[in-house]
Amino acid sequence: MPEIERRITQAEAIREALAQAMEEDERVIVIGEGVPDPKGIFGTTTGLQQRFGKARVFDSPLSENGITGICVGAAISGMRPVMVHQRIDFALLAMDQIVNNAAKWHYMFAGQVKVPLVIRVIIGRGWGPGPQHAQSLQALFAHIPGLKVVMPTSGYDAKGMLLAAIRDDNPVIFIEHRWLQDIADHVPEAPYIVPLDQALICRPGQHVTLAAFSYMTVEARLAAEALAEHGIEVEVVDARSVRPLDMSTIVESVRRTGTLIVADTAWKTGGIAGEVIAGVAETAFSALKRPPLRICLPDIPAPTSPHLTRGYYPDALYLARAIAAHLGRSIPDAELADRLFRTTPHDVPQREFRGPF
Amino acid sequence: MTTFSLFRSMLRIRRIEEAIAERYGAQEMRCPVHLSIGQEAVAVGVCAALQPQDGVFGGHRAHAHYLAKGGDLTAMLAEIYGLENGCCRGVGGSMHIIDLAAGFLGAVPIVGATIPLAVGAAWAAKLRNEDKVIVVFFGDGTFEEGVVHESINFAVLHRLPVLFVCENNLYACYTRLSERQPDRPIHAIAAAHGCRIFTAEGDDVEAVHAASRMAVADLRAGGAPVFLECSTYRWREHCGPNQDDHLGYRPSGELAKWESTCPVSRLASTLSSSPEGARLVAAAEAEIAGEIASAFAAALASPVPQPADLPGYLYA
């Protein structure tokens, strides 16, 4: 009997993963500003304290660096803490403990001590979070040896990768996108693992490799569907992990398509999109038929007003136009716009995308 | 712990640090060293109040803490020499030392970095109902770091078994305390955070030990976190084997005043007032000299570490 397909939102999938991790291992504890409060980190921690008790599910003082260090101290003492920041921007206050201690404790003591720590951080866009509540800082963390950094897109992957991250003996920066949390997906109830180091080809195609990170995978898939109607077959690769980057999946794809475009949620300069392109250029330069292309945010912080964010975030229409232009294909713009122009406001999640992934 | 045992432990640390200083000029210890000379009584007085299962964290100047908790001498020396048998196989050097078997849980040079780790270790001990006290040593400069206050706040909130030991040696590198903090006791801030407070003259090992025993007993009984402030003084330069008083950053005569109350020689004089005591002190000197010579020889016999091993240390 095939399992009846169960569809839950990514927020519910994350909550289920946390609950299952706590059930299977009493060393797992969850802490963060707002974890037990009525909003429960966008619904990802709701009810956990009632179920597992105040000894394992904590609210946190507003002390990001201190609490991160305290979680490192608990992790090296045999616990498996999961901490959460409602916005990745607040994790910047903890960079000392993340970079100097969490990432290095195993290395600098020559492997004697493990740091099984998961730091959930949430990124987002739209509805005015502005310069300090919407940054995509994956490259900052991915630069640090000793950290693992992942950015699941689907609810299925969010659950499987969170369970993998909690079972992992290393510090994992687990980056969630606010616009993905309300998207429903097929998520099996029983616990399962999705590896922390493998990209996923989520739509095969022969003309261009479109490597996408996190929410940009959603826009990439919409763009790919529209372009397919015009004979352009886009291979969409959901990178899923940032450190380690699964370069072999991307390189193999580029060997088939000859063209690489990278869509990231972050700024262009010093970003992970450039890292993907560098990796392909180093190992498969001759496979490239044309220059690679980065589709990222402009190199300025996010503004707040909807009048100012218009055009700041590349969407499916932007991607489709850019891909067609890069391939030298002329598609009547009205046809792309007719398919992809958003009828809903640009500063709320794509209603056009409902999953499944 | 007898007075003689406290003395012997201090003397051993003093002689080890002096031996490191003597050999440092040979350019074979190719890492910064921050010597504990002058501050031995704090490390010894506190650690003598601990049980083997208790844990200790330190900072950049941690040789005394490591040794007082029972850390392996040969492994520390080999680490300072950057050799394979070092306690971090050469990855860490003097500023990153660890001996898990002895309960020395780690020292790193980012100021204040181990304070939340100590609180986290105490939190884990409480969550697991372990009979364990965690101690973290730090200096007066560390108290200026925000993470210290974040950590103490959490420790008091959750009533964790942690002993904060502030070694107030008046200087952060070359900058005097009065240039960095207003004129009020450091421990008064910790008291305002809700810690139980002890203070001790840091050149009086018995006073430090007595305060530590009370503090540790309190913590084992489930008492609030304790903050112990000890006045003390760094005799040598901030970093390195030499004297640096000629640089003029400390008032003339200040070092001489602290040297006159040397925790090691004062106790040696007291103990030597009887012929039996004098014999014990002399015997301790001889034993320690032999141990140090053997430990240096054993450390230097270590193989060299291999760069090819480094990637294997990165991830568990």
Side-chain angles (χ1 to χ4, degrees):
Chain A
M1 278 283 289
E3 186 186 351
I4 295 165
E5 188 170 283
R6 190 182 67 132
R7 288 167 63 79
I8 59 175
T9 66
Q10 183 174 117
E12 291 166 335
I14 287 168
R15 188 171 70 223
E16 185 167 88
L18 289 173
Q20 289 175 348
M22 296 188 79
E23 264 168 16
E24 73 184 19
D25 189 341
E26 64 179 16
R27 299 171 299 174
V28 176
I29 51 181
V30 178
I31 183 168
E33 294 163 26
V35 159
D37 79 12
K39 295 288 182 78
I41 316 286
F42 309 117
T44 61
T45 59
T46 315
L48 291 179
Q49 191 179 60
Q50 289 82 344
R51 185 162 164 198
F52 294 99
K54 291 185 174 180
R56 294 180 68 192
V57 182
F58 283 85
D59 213 318
S60 165
L62 310 189
S63 309
E64 289 80 5
N65 199 34
I67 299 303
T68 304
I70 288 165
C71 285
V72 174
I76 64 174
S77 305
M79 306 302 287
R80 303 185 83 84
V82 179
M83 63 181 306
V84 52
H85 299 284
Q86 294 201 23
R87 312 277 182 190
I88 196 171
D89 317 70
F90 291 105
L92 292 174
L93 289 157
M95 284 307 259
D96 163 45
Q97 284 295 330
I98 294 171
V99 175
N100 284 322
N101 277 351
K104 303 217 173 40
W105 207 263
H106 185 267
Y107 175 81
M108 67 190 169
F109 296 118
Q112 295 177 71
V113 193
K114 295 169 183 168
V115 187
L117 169 66
V118 177
I119 302 178
R120 291 178 51 209
V121 287
I122 297 165
I123 62 175
R125 72 192 240 184
W127 206 258
Q132 296 185 341
H133 269 40
Q135 299 173 83
S136 280
L137 301 173
Q138 53 268 30
L140 224 53
F141 294 102
H143 188 59
I144 307 300
L147 297 180
K148 294 184 177 182
V149 184
V150 298
M151 301 182 85
T153 303
S154 70
Y156 180 92
D157 287 344
K159 176 175 172 178
M161 292 177 85
L162 184 53
L163 279 168
I166 294 171
R167 291 183 194 175
D168 199 278
D169 280 331
N170 299 284
V172 180
I173 308 295
F174 191 90
I175 303 177
E176 300 160 28
H177 197 292
R178 182 74 189 94
W179 278 19
L180 295 171
Q181 286 177 325
D182 296 330
I183 297 178
D185 187 23
H186 167 54
V187 179
E189 187 166 359
Y192 59 91
I193 289 296
V194 173
L196 301 177
D197 58 357
Q198 290 177 18
L200 173 73
I201 296 174
C202 53
R203 179 190 173 95
Q206 61 197 15
H207 297 128
V208 54
T209 298
L210 177 54
F213 288 86
S214 184
Y215 178 75
M216 287 310 287
T217 307
V218 170
E219 302 284 0
R221 290 184 56 154
L222 289 167
E225 285 165 20
L227 289 169
E229 293 175 3
H230 299 277
I232 299 175
E233 293 296 338
V234 179
E235 181 146 292
V236 179
V237 181
D238 179 358
R240 297 200 292 192
S241 67
V242 189
R243 185 184 189 100
L245 266 173
D246 177 8
M247 284 309 301
S248 63
T249 296
I250 296 170
V251 165
E252 286 312 303
S253 174
V254 173
R255 287 191 197 283
R256 290 190 296 272
T257 66
T259 298
L260 173 63
I261 297 176
V262 186
D264 192 11
T265 59
W267 297 298
K268 181 182 286 187
T269 301
I272 207 70
E275 188 64 30
V276 172
I277 289 169
V280 169
E282 282 176 336
T283 56
F285 188 73
S286 59
L288 289 167
K289 295 178 193 160
R290 51 179 65 79
L293 178 68
R294 286 176 287 180
I295 296 176
C296 303
L297 301 186
D299 274 337
I300 53 173
T304 295
S305 160
H307 306 294
L308 297 171
T309 53
R310 190 173 300 284
Y312 181 80
Y313 294 103
D315 61 7
L317 179 56
Y318 181 98
L319 282 174
R321 285 170 172 159
I323 293 165
H326 200 61
L327 296 176
R329 295 283 300 273
S330 65
I331 298 174
D333 195 60
E335 293 184 27
L336 285 181
D338 184 52
R339 171 81 189 241
L340 294 174
F341 184 77
R342 294 195 56 183
T343 54
T344 50
H346 74 279
D347 58 351
V348 295
Q350 280 269 23
R351 283 198 202 141
E352 289 81 350
F353 189 86
R354 286 276 170 231
F357 284 92
Chain B
M1 180 70 64
T2 65
T3 302
F4 180 76
S5 301
L6 294 170
F7 163 74
R8 192 185 189 289
S9 184
M10 287 196 300
L11 179 69
R12 178 173 177 266
I13 293 167
R14 172 70 58 90
R15 297 293 178 250
I16 290 166
E17 294 286 65
E18 288 172 346
I20 291 169
E22 271 168 35
R23 290 162 173 80
Y24 196 79
Q27 305 287 302
E28 289 170 3
M29 302 177 197
R30 305 185 76 83
C31 66
V33 291
H34 302 78
L35 301 178
S36 308
I37 293 172
Q39 304 187 197
E40 299 90 344
V42 182
V44 168
V46 171
C47 289
L50 300 177
Q51 297 296 320
Q53 77 271 18
D54 296 330
V56 170
F57 287 90
H60 59 284
R61 193 181 310 283
H63 296 175
H65 311 134
Y66 172 100
L67 293 167
K69 187 64 173 69
D72 186 90
L73 172 59
T74 301
M76 185 183 94
L77 295 175
E79 187 59 38
I80 299 172
Y81 277 109
L83 298 174
E84 175 71 7
N85 292 348
C87 58
C88 315
R89 303 180 130 193
V91 181
S94 163
M95 297 195 297
H96 303 84
I97 50 178
I98 192 167
D99 188 332
L100 295 172
F104 190 79
L105 303 179
V108 298
I110 299 294
V111 176
T114 49
I115 293 188
L117 269 63
V119 173
W123 186 33
K126 180 163 181 174
L127 288 171
R128 295 151 75 104
N129 285 319
E130 293 170 340
D131 173 26
K132 192 183 272 191
V133 168
I134 307 293
V135 177
V136 58
F137 291 95
F138 53 94
D140 45 294
T142 303
F143 201 70
E144 293 148 27
E145 298 284 0
V147 74
V148 175
H149 303 276
E150 297 182 2
S151 302
I152 295 176
N153 176 65
F154 188 89
V156 174
L157 179 71
H158 291 283
R159 212 173 171 84
L160 303 178
V162 58
L163 170 59
F164 301 98
V165 182
C166 179
E167 295 181 79
N168 183 350
N169 70 9
L170 298 175
Y171 292 87
C173 298
Y174 302 104
T175 308
R176 195 173 171 82
L177 181 61
S178 57
E179 304 287 321
R180 299 179 283 111
Q181 295 182 32
D183 183 19
R184 48 89 183 109
I186 284 174
H187 61 260
I189 307 296
H193 278 306
C195 287
R196 184 157 186 224
I197 303 299
F198 289 91
T199 59
E201 301 293 329
D203 51 8
D204 181 346
V205 70
E206 293 182 288
V208 174
H209 184 51
S212 302
R213 285 182 59 174
M214 282 192 280
V216 170
D218 259 18
L219 292 168
R220 286 202 203 289
V226 179
F227 191 95
L228 169 63
E229 181 178 355
C230 299
S231 53
T232 185
Y233 205 72
R234 157 173 61 78
W235 289 15
R236 302 274 174 116
E237 57 190 337
H238 159 67
C239 179
N242 304 309
Q243 310 285 343
D244 69 353
D245 223 37
H246 62 282
L247 295 176
Y249 68 99
R250 307 197 281 202
S252 163
E254 190 175 77
L255 173 61
K257 181 222 146 219
W258 284 91
E259 284 176 331
S260 73
T261 60
C262 170
V264 185
S265 57
R266 267 201 308 163
L267 209 46
S269 302
T270 309
L271 289 164
S272 298
S273 58
S274 74
E276 172 62 8
R279 193 192 63 74
L280 284 171
V281 169
E285 284 277 18
E287 286 163 15
I288 288 166
E291 184 202 0
I292 292 172
S294 302
F296 269 93
L300 287 165
S302 166
V304 298
Q306 300 301 317
D309 290 335
L310 289 177
Y313 302 147
L314 191 55
Y315 292 101

